[in-house]
Amino acid sequence: QVQLVESGGGSVQAGGSLRLSCVASGNEERSGRSGCMGWFRQASGKEREGVATIDSPDGTINYADSVLGRFTISKDNTKNILYLQMNGLKPEDTAVYYCAADYGCTSWTFLHAPARSTSWGQGTQVTVSS
């Protein structure tokens, strides 16, 4: 099981920026396998939704339409850290953001339908005020 720890959430005004980080551990023995990592979010009273995902080894990236052009996902493979740079934040981006990881998946499928085998972080709150 992969352990995921997020950080970087907080409160900002609309138009501001935040960068989320996710440190992954416990997956060293599977470093040669294909897999996915990504960011998901859940706003109060709403279902969880995929925000941005990346797979390996291809490096294919997918974004939700609502964040395309504003958010950027990246991964430091040497440090096993996943990032989400969020620019142009809007009040509707307010949610708990979760880091997730799985194996044997593709970026697009992971974004839209993460499998039950997915590992999840504890979440970090992002609040955007108008």
Side-chain angles (χ1 to χ4, degrees), residues 44-123:
S44 180
K46 295 187 177 181
E47 292 187 355
R48 182 187 63 206
E49 63 175 350
V51 175
T53 53
I54 182 170
D55 64 24
S56 60
D58 292 344
T60 301
I61 291 174
N62 291 96
Y63 294 99
D65 289 343
S66 59
V67 306
L68 195 61
R70 299 187 298 123
F71 291 11
T72 303
I73 188 172
S74 61
K75 187 169 181 285
D76 185 333
N77 289 316
T78 60
K79 297 180 180 180
N80 227 3
I81 301 176
L82 184 72
Y83 299 101
L84 184 68
Q85 178 65 45
M86 305 185 292
N87 299 327
L89 283 161
K90 304 176 181 180
E92 51 264 43
D93 294 319
T94 295
V96 177
Y97 283 71
Y98 297 92
C99 177
D102 199 6
Y103 295 98
C105 52
T106 62
S107 176
W108 192 93
T109 302
F110 193 52
L111 180 71
H112 294 282
R116 284 184 291 178
S117 55
T118 299
S119 298
W120 299 90
Q122 82 287 352

Side-chain angles (χ1 to χ4, degrees), residues 1-5 22-28 37 80 99 101 119-121:
Q1 191 79 359
V2 179
Q3 288 79 49
L4 304 167
V5 179
C22 172
V23 178
S25 61
N27 59 340
E28 291 79 8
M37 292 190 73
N80 227 3
C99 177
S119 298
W120 299 90

